[in-house]
Amino acid sequence: MEKRHTVCRLCSSVCPIEVYLKDGRLVSAKRKSSLPLEKAYYCSKLKAASEIVYSPQRIKAPLVREESGGKRDWKEISWEEALGIVSRKLNTFKSEYGPQSVCWLRGMAADWGAPWDYAIRFMHAFGSPNVIGNGSVCHVAREMAHFFTYGAMTSSDYKNSKCIFIWGKNDRDTNPPAYEAILYAKKQGAKLIVVDPIKTKLASLADIWLQIRPGCDGVLAMSIMNTIIEEKLYDSNFIQQWTLGFDILRKSAAKYTPENVAKRIWVDKESIKEAARIYAKTKPACLIEGNGLDMHANVSQNTRAVCILRALSGNIDKQGGDLLPQPVPTRNIQLKESLKAKIEPISFRYPLFNKFHKTRGDHALSSVMDAILEEKPYPLKALIIQASNPVVTMANSKRFLEAMEKLEFIAVIDLFMTKTAEKADLVLPATTCFEKTQLNLKAFSNPVVLQNQVIDWAENSWPDWKIIFELGKKMGYEKEFPWETVEEAIDYQLEPSGITVEMLRENPEGIFVGEKRYEKYRQERFNTPSGKIEFYSDVYKKHGYPPLPEFEEYEEDRLSFIQEKDNFPFVAISGARPNNFVHSQFRNIPSLLRESPEPFVDIHPDDAATLEIKDGQMVGVETPNGKISMKAKLSDVVHPGSVRIAWGWGEFDPRYNINDLTDDHLRDPLTGTTSNRCFMCNIVKLAEHP
Ligand SMILES: Nc1nc2c(c(=O)[nH]1)N[C@H]1C(S)=C(S)[C@@H](COP(=O)(O)OP(=O)(O)OC[C@H]3O[C@@H](n4cnc5c(=O)[nH]c(N)nc54)[C@H](O)[C@@H]3O)O[C@H]1N2
Ligand SMILES: Nc1nc2c(c(=O)[nH]1)N[C@H]1C(S)=C(S)[C@@H](COP(=O)(O)OP(=O)(O)OC[C@H]3O[C@@H](n4cnc5c(=O)[nH]c(N)nc54)[C@H](O)[C@@H]3O)O[C@H]1N2
Ligand code: SF4
Ligand SMILES: [Mo]
């Protein structure tokens, strides 16, 4: 069998893999680990790679919706015809309503590296500022808090760490390379602290597990800082030389004694103190936070508090600590400069979020529905949806469906006929990650690794890059899209780094640009307005936001439907991401579905006893927005008073769509983030599936 090297992009972990081929067909694939482990961690999605690639449900050719005699049907058309339709429609909207009436909506499946740049380049050439990604519910809202604290998002050097502090992240299932590094460090004696409202397998391995009340992370971070400051466990030289606002932080943290906050956040006061002491005294330590902090209407404040704690520990950019990136010099190909400055994006309410990063782009996802339904700041007429399934994944799905009804044109670029694609006028078939060469987000930071095409495009599908390049050419943007192949585009983008596609193919393990360096701030200072770590942020203040996190109100006020808690008494947590699924994806892949054939609501046995609910019984989950139903699983992984609802099942069966329950009105003021993660709900017994 022939062997080829690439990286997998079935999920955002982007693992290096070996792919085995026979007669040009993908037979199997294997993860590679850079760590001296007995064996690389198993990933069921990768094991199912050939099932995914050769799924009979893949869309085989561009499809246009036809209506005749009251019947709606799909008709296969050529790429030439399909691109002609998109081009004509877009030009009509442009001349009638202005280019801003068209919005490109992006999920994360095609990656946020170069594919994201191509979509933005296309839309900027067309003249619309509206390319919206889903970063407000994913990691970008968090990234902004890092940025305004010490200038860039840190990553954790688990492998060399003596104390690993994991906050709302479940690497075992969502990021196997990181999980391997945690296990490796643990074997070398590293301590593990986990903050998670759920007793995950990872939490069970921890030396200290803090079972926090969902959404109260900022208060917990402040109380850990309280102990560190009270017990003088910080490095005063570092604080004096490299930070701004320590005296105000000290005063602010004084309010959050473990004694004061413990009950409110469901964590025992001695555990808070113990976690603080271990974290502050063990060097080097690293702290990583995850999606458990995202999707909260308080994400900016909570994450700022966690970032300040990380900075206070003095581990920033130390080996075994929290590393600042060493970005690879590349060309910015987004063409933002060609846009007319006076056209505001639909996400105008979140200016700091739109501009905090040079290339990250626009991520206030909730603005899309506002623009369509409320026509603020102007109406949208058309959506191009790439690599996303918002009918299932967007907060308040019903409102999104309503918004789709109002649009005049929808094109979807996807592999499968999803619940979102079903609503489109045109569906363009994309290829899987194994069928395309791509520069992923990870490749913009060292080391640069290339995703290589290892098999031919299936049927008449095209990789995302080709769809965008050809559409650009069709619309007359030959100057912006002069490339015949993606390799030419990658070489152009990477030119300032001195790296080429050819070099990357010769070095499948990746190429490190420059020398690996620690404590870079000693030469370069921090990339903040003051050049220091900003415990106190003037920028936040100027934007009407607390310069230092404050949690005067009870945090549960930032949970959707809290005002109606008498009728909706349970805190719902949006469920686990098991290794076999990615959001709404892969329930159509038989071997992956067999691993977990149906969804469950986890209910604590004490609550189940009060409600007289038995294990396996069908229950309804209700919020003021809607009702779904699933079987109950009695389990002590959840805290009494909270339930965990399985995530991503709305594609399999709309009766399981958790986002029929969620709300898109309560939002984080800086980023527009909705509270998909946690909200108040009620549980009722049902005799059967309605
Ligand atoms: N309630 C609740 N809401 C959530 C979340 C939650 O946990 N709970 N999670 C949030 C998070 S973190 C995220 S990132 C979003 C995810 O939201 P989405 O981005 O909508 O997620 P997916 O369901 O993964 O949809 C990806 C789609 O892209 C297609 N696809 C896969 N690969 C490619 C490709 O290479 N090219 C193209 N064109 N298409 C491809 C897949 O078939 C699939 O239909 O959901 C958010 N919403
Ligand atoms: N298999 C698989 N892998 C994936 C994905 C997938 O869908 N499937 N999605 C990818 C994407 S887009 C993302 S964003 C990442 C996310 O990956 P992670 O960052 O690991 O996020 P989750 O697993 O959603 O949640 C992490 C933990 O946060 C906990 N949590 C829930 N609410 C709270 C809270 O209020 N506070 C705290 N402290 N913790 C809380 C949850 O119980 C969970 O154990 O995974 C990526 N990898
Ligand atoms: S975790 Fe699995 S699916 Fe995700 S990138 Fe790695 S091998 Fe692929
Ligand atoms: Mo995400």
Side-chain angles (χ1 to χ4, degrees), residues 138 170 173-174 196-198 215 217 291-292 296 577-578 581 583 677:
C138 196
N170 186 20
D173 297 325
T174 60
D196 201 305
I198 305 284
D217 301 275
N291 205 236
H296 285 287
R577 302 175 192 275
F581 300 135
H583 308 296
R677 171 63 80 184

Side-chain angles (χ1 to χ4, degrees), residues 78-97:
S78 68
W79 277 102
E80 182 64 24
E81 288 171 285
L83 298 182
I85 294 173
V86 183
S87 163
R88 279 194 300 281
K89 287 277 182 193
L90 262 51
N91 281 326
T92 308
F93 295 126
K94 185 174 184 168
S95 60
E96 284 184 23
Y97 310 102

